[in-house]
Amino acid sequence: MDRKELEQKILELVAISYKKNADELSLETSFKADLQGASVQMVALVAEIENETDACVTLQDAAACETIADLVDLVENEL
Amino acid sequence: MSILDTIYAKAKQNPQKVAFPEAANEKMMQAAYEAGRDGYIYPVLLGDAEELRALAGQRGYEPEIFTFVDLNDEEYKQKVIAAYVALEDTRLKEKALARRMQDPLYYAMAMQKVGEVAVTFAGIDNTTGDVLLAGQMMIGLKPDISTVSSIGLCDIPGFEGSEGSLLAIGDSAVCTNPNPEQLADIGISACETVESLLGWEPRCAFVCYSTLGSGQGELIDKVTEAVKIAQEKRPDLAIDGEFQFDAAISPAVAAKKVKRDSKVAGRANVVIWPDLNVGNVAVKLIQQFGHADAYGPMLQGFNSVVCDCSRGAPVSEIKGNIIISAVRAAGMKK
């Protein structure tokens, strides 16, 4: 999976986990300011990432990501 | 009979299987052994079964008290994985689950989710954060509950409340600054916790510095909003507020301040704080000035019981918490 594909995949998984329309999301979307999700949604997102990619990211690391781009970086490092 | 004696008696009537993913830990193994030997639970130890058997022998424990689950037993692991992924409300698929189950904490919680054990007991080697995260991922939160939270059970000498000297309070330990939805969920979870553990009919008061509009301000608005949400979500539960603490627990004060019918005012057995600042200070006040014993925190909001014990806890406290967890788990099965 190249970077572009990974970005698309993560955007799709964020949309599923946070119950958003994928069109509303971009790499700059902030988890805290824009999505205002509870930890439950982050747990769902990490589970989706583990299911759909071979990355094993910790919840602590994922929760520390400010934007979706940060999360893509994190997952890329784990692949 | 003290409250702990009552809970212990309940545990003996219906012992539950409890998984121990930190079984090699000396204090944990001793607490598991004593709880099993005394007939409160059936302890299930996870790890390298050979190593655990040897450790139990060296420590002078009868091995037949324990059930050993070997993390390398591929056949059993596959059985748990198949049962887990077949459940509708689980998140992880086979490959990701198998990877997570290399960690005994996740393995134990997978067993719990599929009903192989009633409860997982951990927190002596893992941090509270580790346990909460594993619980959210593997056990999951109840469908209508938005936050993990906790309650404590206080036994306050000289207090003559609606449950004698006992009062359940929450959240004094986990959810720092709940929004109205989360605060409502803390109250609902607390009602379920006392029902499953103690068989009480919960009467739950949301408290702050105002009684039914006697004060104004955003700190109060959050609480009144939470009461409204909780009542709408669970009209079957006796939930009321906003009350000052004395109006919640004292019939005399409630008679003066609460000028409408309330099943809760003056006789609350569950008190919900507006945030963790209040909750933490309040439990310390109850302990320091009220000379109360405070049991907990008992985690709540999960689909089944998730527990965390303090890493500095002595064996007697760990044993007590194991037994409380087992009784809660038995209560939730009803």
Side-chain angles (χ1 to χ4, degrees), chain B residues 194-273:
Chain B
V194 299
E195 233 170 352
S196 64
L197 178 65
L198 303 159
W200 290 356
E201 186 182 322
R203 291 179 298 279
C204 176
F206 283 63
V207 299
C208 61
Y209 69 87
S210 164
T211 298
L212 300 179
S214 66
Q216 272 97 41
E218 59 181 323
L219 297 179
I220 297 168
D221 293 344
K222 174 171 105 167
V223 178
T224 53
E225 182 65 17
V227 172
K228 201 173 140 211
I229 295 167
Q231 288 172 335
E232 278 169 9
K233 277 175 98 168
R234 291 294 302 272
D236 57 311
L237 295 171
I239 290 175
D240 208 351
E242 90 288 359
F243 298 138
Q244 286 158 288
F245 181 71
D246 52 359
I249 61 158
S250 160
V253 177
K256 282 184 190 164
K257 292 188 176 178
V258 180
K259 303 293 185 191
R260 64 156 169 75
D261 285 346
S262 171
K263 286 183 185 169
V264 178
R267 48 200 300 263
N269 51 16
V270 179
V271 169
I272 302 301
W273 314 118

Side-chain angles (χ1 to χ4, degrees), chain A residues 13-63:
Chain A
L13 297 178
V14 172
I16 293 169
S17 304
Y18 285 78
K19 298 188 171 56
K20 298 279 177 193
N21 194 325
D23 303 343
E24 298 169 38
L25 304 174
S26 74
L27 292 175
E28 287 72 45
T29 300
S30 155
F31 285 103
K32 206 170 175 185
D34 303 321
L35 297 174
Q36 297 167 344
S39 62
V40 190
Q41 278 131 353
M42 187 53 87
V43 170
L45 177 57
V46 168
E48 288 294 344
I49 290 170
E50 289 190 29
N51 286 334
E52 299 297 324
T53 72
D54 274 334
C56 190
V57 298
T58 69
L59 280 157
Q60 289 96 324
D61 289 344

Side-chain angles (χ1 to χ4, degrees), chain B residues 12-34:
Chain B
K12 264 194 177 167
Q13 283 166 10
N14 186 12
Q16 301 291 308
K17 285 186 187 174
V18 180
F20 293 91
E22 302 159 332
N25 181 290
E26 197 168 350
K27 284 202 288 187
M28 193 61 95
M29 188 184 275
Q30 186 184 341
Y33 177 72
E34 289 181 10

Side-chain angles (χ1 to χ4, degrees), chain A residues 1-16:
Chain A
M1 200 181 292
D2 66 21
R3 172 81 189 187
K4 204 74 205 157
E5 287 170 330
L6 183 61
E7 286 174 356
Q8 278 313 312
K9 182 52 110 181
I10 299 293
L11 282 165
E12 187 187 308
L13 297 178
V14 172
I16 293 169

Side-chain angles (χ1 to χ4, degrees), chain B residues 49-90:
Chain B
E50 282 291 300
E51 189 190 318
L52 290 174
R53 265 198 200 91
L55 274 173
Q58 285 162 25
R59 292 168 181 170
Y61 304 145
E62 303 152 62
E64 59 272 22
I65 296 293
F66 299 120
T67 300
F68 295 93
V69 170
D70 194 316
L71 297 190
N72 298 315
D73 178 347
E74 207 48 43
E75 195 182 328
Y76 182 69
K77 185 178 179 182
Q78 289 308 322
K79 182 184 146 192
V80 173
I81 289 174
Y84 188 94
V85 298
L87 295 172
E88 275 181 13
D89 64 338
T90 52

